[in-house]
Amino acid sequence: MSMSVIRAAEIKIAEAKKNGLIKGPVHLGVGQEAIAVGVSKNLRNSDRIFGAHRSHSHILGVDNDLHKLFAEVLGRNTGFSYGMGGSMHLASKSKGFLGSVPIVTGTVPLALGAGLASKLQKSGDIAISYLGDGATEEGVFHESLNFARVSNIPILFVVENNLFSSHMHMSLRQPLNTINRFAKAHKIETRLIDGNDVVEIYRTTSEFIRKMRSKPEPYLIEAITYRWFGHVDWREDIDVGVARSKKDLLNWKKRDPIKRLSDAMINKKIWTKEKQDTLDLKVDELIDENWEKALKDDFPDRKSLLDNVYKYD
Amino acid sequence: MCINMIRTSYSDAILSGFDYLLKNYPEVFVLGQGLWSPWYVGNTMKNLDKKYGKDRIIDTPVSESACTGAAVGASICGMKPIIVHPRMDFMLYAMDSIVNQAAKWSYMFGGQLNAPVTIRSIINRGGSQGAQHSQALHSWFAHIPGIRVVMPSTAQDARDLLISSVLCPDPVIYIDDRWLYEQTANLGPIKETPLNAITPKCLKEGDQITIIGSGYSTLLALKASNKLNCDGIDAEVFDLRVLNPLNSKNLLDSVLKTKRLLVIDSGWKSCGMASEVITSIVEQIPTDTLIDQPRRITLPDCPAPSCEVHEKDYYPNEEKIIKFINDEYYF
Ligand SMILES: Cc1ncc(C[n+]2csc(CCOP(=O)(O)OP(=O)(O)O)c2C)c(N)n1
Ligand SMILES: [Mg+2]
């Protein structure tokens, strides 16, 4: 799915959260769309992808069903998780998106196991673990790097370093502003890239993934980026960080991954301003159509409260 | 006795359960610390690495958290992994993967995914090992909806319930106890039984008191009940086998018959398994059913002591149980 659709979907969600239509917390990744889009272009349905709390882009990257995302954040039974998850618990099994949950770093070892499984199954499939800079502060991340390396597990750690863990800037949490040193410490090949450059993300991922499919091994990408909204929900000006200034935000907005791609393509004369405008209109229509549809869907049946606690019974 | 029955110890029974699973199910693999060494897991994993290869029997770094999470993740992807924790105490580093992830993976996503991982956790205590090398925390896990908790007390169940656990589509914590490893039984051929069909089992019939145990405490209950017979007290002994979800149906029938209830548990008293079992029975029977108050024998509410003098007082044993029953109940 394209960056513009993901952006528009999240802006729609932001509005709906503001208007009280969405009940649960939503963690928006506006400004960070390039990463999921660049990575996902290299994936196939049998790969195994795990996300976290800010994962709308991660799931849309491989499953373009907007209606299911909207229905899920609205708690409807037609959503990605049949209305049982909301924004923070998303899955799309058939597309290889095997779950995103809000325990920070919780899915990192799960992705590791998914990679281990694919190695044992000799499937050539790989595991993707999306995580944030904050998540690298949990012990299990370091255990996972070590285990991935000693067991040669085909897992790509995609660290979205947006410089913040909720309100705390990197400089208040770690001695350096980048985290790829952890990969180096575990002899894992790594690259520090511009997380707002979709082409660079695509190229790096494609190079790593090609290698991983033929020889199972872990890799780590650190993509530097920035989220435009606060840590949670729709506002820019609350929960935005001890060290986050308006000026920083404006500067980062100038590095908008969508505009950068569009401008670069127009410069190279493979795209035009008119085409961009038509596209934007189409995107808006797509969003509205799916949103309206989702709003009409039902909530899960009250009788289903105890369903799916166990598979047996 | 049937000729194809073999006298087998509890620990060999576990080994034969592993062997059966690894032989018949290519998606089964095992990971954990000490799997290539008898030091950690006794003979319960002996030579499995040689027979099935070090790809399927993975001895891991000292990373309980990542390794348990990896087992959960692999289970989501069509494998049937068994993660082994040589001591329950060590497993506490892995609580997130067990409680937040595995237990909820089916529910959170509306049933489209599940985590059929088996977490084998060994209770290994006594011998002055002290507070961090002795814990039996089954009650904790039995509190969590979404995980099944299994505690075999016989050699037969040690093998068969391991197989049922691994083949179960839900996450299962299978807890074996080193103090049971020398118990033997005549094992017949393996018959796969779905875990949800396993209910508490009556190991000795009687009509004067119902004694319920799990794991090692069932063995104590059984031994004590045999001696009690000489005192003219006819006890019925039940082994819980599956602690969560708890099926109390046949326990209830037993208590309605014997009218006396004692639960023995190898965990602590406060918020423990014994409280749960007693409550789930008592809340379902008429108030005038019981001749004596329901009672429990548990560990005292303190960490396991290292000193051998304290240790003797700390753990229940046959004599203490017999004395307790003679002192506390009127027959
Ligand atoms: C185990 C755990 N600790 C703390 C939290 C609270 N929390 C939620 S999101 C978050 C920030 C995580 O930052 P990062 O990994 O960089 O992701 P980002 O929000 O920047 O996308 C924190 C601390 C949590 N959800 N889980
Ligand atoms: Mg961050």
Side-chain angles (χ1 to χ4, degrees):
Chain A
M1 170 159 286
S2 78
M3 293 191 285
S4 341
V5 181
I6 295 173
R7 165 85 45 99
E10 289 213 297
I11 288 180
K12 185 80 200 175
I13 291 171
E15 276 168 28
K17 180 67 199 175
K18 187 175 176 182
N19 298 336
L21 282 172
I22 295 174
K23 300 296 170 211
V26 290
H27 299 82
L28 302 165
V30 171
Q32 307 188 169
E33 300 86 352
I35 302 168
V37 170
V39 171
S40 303
K41 284 269 179 283
N42 295 293
L43 300 179
R44 56 195 195 202
N45 290 344
S46 50
D47 288 329
R48 295 109 197 247
I49 308 148
F50 290 82
H53 54 289
R54 200 180 304 285
S55 278
H56 298 156
S57 66
H58 305 149
I59 195 166
L60 289 179
V62 290
D63 187 336
N64 62 12
D65 198 330
L66 274 180
H67 167 246
K68 279 191 180 164
L69 178 69
F70 290 156
E72 192 56 47
V73 300
L74 287 163
R76 309 305 162 104
N77 64 11
T78 48
F80 272 130
S81 305
Y82 306 99
M84 297 301 288
S87 161
M88 299 201 295
H89 314 86
L90 304 168
S92 170
K93 189 180 180 183
S94 63
K95 304 288 183 189
F97 194 85
L98 302 187
S100 59
V101 292
I103 289 289
V104 167
T105 328
T107 59
V108 172
L110 272 57
L112 183 73
L116 175 62
S118 112
K119 188 180 166 192
L120 291 168
Q121 291 156 343
K122 299 194 170 41
S123 65
D125 299 324
I126 60 151
I128 299 284
S129 177
Y130 284 110
L131 66 151
D133 48 293
T136 68
E137 287 151 24
E138 294 283 3
V140 71
F141 168 66
H142 302 267
E143 290 184 15
S144 298
L145 291 181
N146 180 59
F147 192 41
R149 179 69 278 172
V150 293
S151 297
N152 289 322
I153 293 177
I155 177 169
L156 178 62
F157 299 94
V158 180
V159 181
E160 299 177 319
N161 183 352
N162 59 13
L163 304 170
F164 281 89
S165 168
S166 75
H167 59 298
M168 292 275 276
H169 189 262
M170 256 312 234
S171 56
L172 302 169
R173 299 180 284 118
Q174 294 193 29
L176 298 174
N177 272 352
T178 55
I179 64 86
N180 56 83
R181 65 188 185 281
F182 300 130
K184 290 175 191 153
H186 290 93
K187 291 181 132 187
I188 291 177
E189 190 175 336
T190 180
R191 207 161 298 160
L192 177 65
I193 57 178
D194 181 348
N196 287 15
D197 180 347
V198 71
V199 178
E200 188 182 351
I201 294 156
Y202 171 78
R203 281 210 190 110
T204 309
T205 323
S206 121
E207 179 195 327
F208 283 177
I209 290 180
R210 205 174 328 111
K211 291 199 252 181
M212 292 167 77
R213 293 208 198 279
S214 57
K215 180 167 177 257
E217 269 191 307
Y219 290 85
L220 185 147
I221 287 174
E222 176 173 16
I224 307 290
T225 185
Y226 206 80
R227 57 169 158 71
W228 292 7
F229 287 111
H231 168 65
V232 64
D233 299 341
W234 77 98
R235 287 172 65 173
E236 286 181 352
D237 61 339
I238 54 157
D239 191 13
V240 289
V242 175
R244 179 162 143 162
S245 68
K246 209 166 179 125
K247 195 167 129 256
D248 282 350
L249 179 59
L250 286 176
N251 279 335
W252 274 97
K253 283 190 174 178
K254 287 186 198 140
R255 310 187 59 210
D256 179 357
I258 300 179
K259 188 155 183 320
R260 273 170 74 184
L261 179 69
S262 171
D263 288 354
M265 286 167 66
I266 292 168
N267 265 342
K268 290 213 160 149
K269 310 229 181 316
I270 46 177
W271 191 240
T272 63
K273 176 88 181 55
E274 293 68 44
K275 279 190 183 158
Q276 182 65 45
D277 292 342
T278 325
L279 180 75
D280 289 346
L281 279 179
K282 270 213 189 121
V283 169
D284 288 345
E285 272 170 33
L286 192 67
I287 297 290
D288 288 341
E289 197 180 292
N290 284 287
W291 182 258
E292 292 309 318
K293 189 168 159 218
L295 271 179
K296 290 195 196 92
D297 292 338
D298 287 329
F299 292 103
D301 194 319
R302 283 178 68 186
K303 288 201 286 290
S304 71
L305 178 69
L306 295 179
D307 288 357
N308 297 310
V309 177
Y310 299 97
K311 278 271 141 188
Y312 265 174
D313 298 336
Chain B
M1 192 203 301
C2 169
I3 36 163
N4 52 6
M5 283 206 170
I6 310 161
R7 194 91 202 150
T8 310
S9 71
Y10 185 97
S11 56
D12 283 336
I14 295 176
L15 179 63
S16 80
F18 273 110
D19 191 61
Y20 175 85
L21 288 160
L22 287 155
K23 193 188 305 165
N24 293 290
Y25 293 91
E27 64 273 37
V28 169
F29 73 101
V30 196
L31 73 169
Q33 282 166 57
L35 302 193
W36 300 340
S37 148
W39 175 253
Y40 280 88
V41 286
N43 58 351
T44 63
M45 306 285 303
K46 199 171 169 186
N47 290 333
L48 289 175
D49 56 326
K50 299 190 181 74
K51 194 163 171 191
Y52 295 101
K54 289 191 157 48
D55 282 351
R56 288 180 78 196
I57 311 292
I58 307 169
D59 203 331
T60 68
V62 196
S63 303
E64 289 79 9
S65 188
C67 294
T68 308
V72 174
S75 79
I76 294 168
C77 297
M79 302 297 285
K80 296 191 195 302
I82 306 159
I83 168 85
V84 179
H85 293 285
R87 278 172 202 280
M88 203 162 220
D89 317 65
F90 304 164
M91 187 166 100
L92 299 193
Y93 269 124
M95 287 301 265
D96 178 66
S97 296
I98 300 169
V99 178
N100 280 327
Q101 316 303 342
K104 300 168 174 57
W105 215 257
S106 163
Y107 193 80
M108 292 187 295
F109 306 116
Q112 77 185 286
L113 293 158
N114 59 315
V117 63
T118 301
I119 299 155
R120 176 185 169 207
S121 185
I122 305 176
I123 299 173
N124 185 351
R125 57 207 160 130
S128 288
Q129 297 181 91
Q132 298 181 343
H133 278 55
S134 304
Q135 293 171 90
L137 298 170
H138 45 283
S139 317
W140 277 22
F141 297 99
H143 182 65
I144 312 292
I147 341 182
R148 295 176 187 269
V149 180
V150 172
M151 257 179 124
S153 76
T154 64
Q156 176 88 44
D157 276 348
R159 181 192 71 183
D160 295 349
L161 297 189
L162 178 68
I163 294 168
S164 302
S165 298
V166 173
L167 300 182
C168 176
D170 299 311
V172 179
I173 301 195
Y174 168 101
I175 302 167
D176 55 288
D177 190 323
R178 283 261 191 161
W179 280 351
L180 289 167
Y181 279 18
E182 270 72 57
Q183 295 307 306
T184 56
N186 290 318
L187 301 194
I190 289 168
K191 198 174 132 273
E192 292 179 5
T193 313
L195 192 56
N196 58 343
I198 305 289
T199 56
K201 186 175 182 178
C202 181
L203 297 186
K204 176 184 173 298
E205 284 186 25
D207 58 13
Q208 287 179 289
I209 179 170
T210 302
I211 310 178
I212 303 170
S214 52
Y216 182 70
S217 60
T218 300
L219 177 66
L220 289 179
L222 207 54
K223 283 186 173 168
S225 71
N226 288 332
K227 292 236 174 90
L228 284 168
N229 265 10
C230 310
D231 303 341
I233 299 171
D234 193 11
E236 181 146 292
V237 176
F238 269 88
D239 182 21
L240 283 180
R241 310 207 285 169
V242 177
L243 280 62
N244 189 51
L246 182 66
N247 181 333
S248 55
K249 170 75 180 63
N250 43 11
L251 305 176
L252 196 70
D253 293 343
S254 172
V255 173
L256 287 171
K257 175 178 72 177
T258 65
K259 303 186 175 8
R260 290 185 186 86
L261 171 61
L262 169 66
V263 181
I264 308 175
D265 186 37
S266 50
W268 288 296
K269 188 170 184 171
S270 173
C271 299
M273 199 60 214
S275 337
E276 183 55 39
V277 172
I278 291 173
T279 310
S280 61
I281 294 169
V282 168
E283 69 187 358
Q284 295 182 78
I285 56 177
T287 41
D288 59 353
T289 307
L290 294 176
I291 299 170
D292 283 306
Q293 283 157 298
R295 304 303 302 263
R296 55 188 154 160
I297 296 176
T298 65
L299 296 179
D301 282 333
C302 67
S306 296
C307 166
E308 62 180 315
V309 176
H310 286 325
E311 212 175 39
K312 284 210 182 79
D313 290 332
Y314 188 68
Y315 292 111
N317 62 26
E318 215 177 307
E319 289 68 41
K320 288 187 208 172
I321 294 167
I322 292 170
K323 183 169 180 334
F324 185 92
I325 292 174
N326 280 315
D327 291 353
E328 303 293 330
Y329 293 84
Y330 298 94
F331 290 95

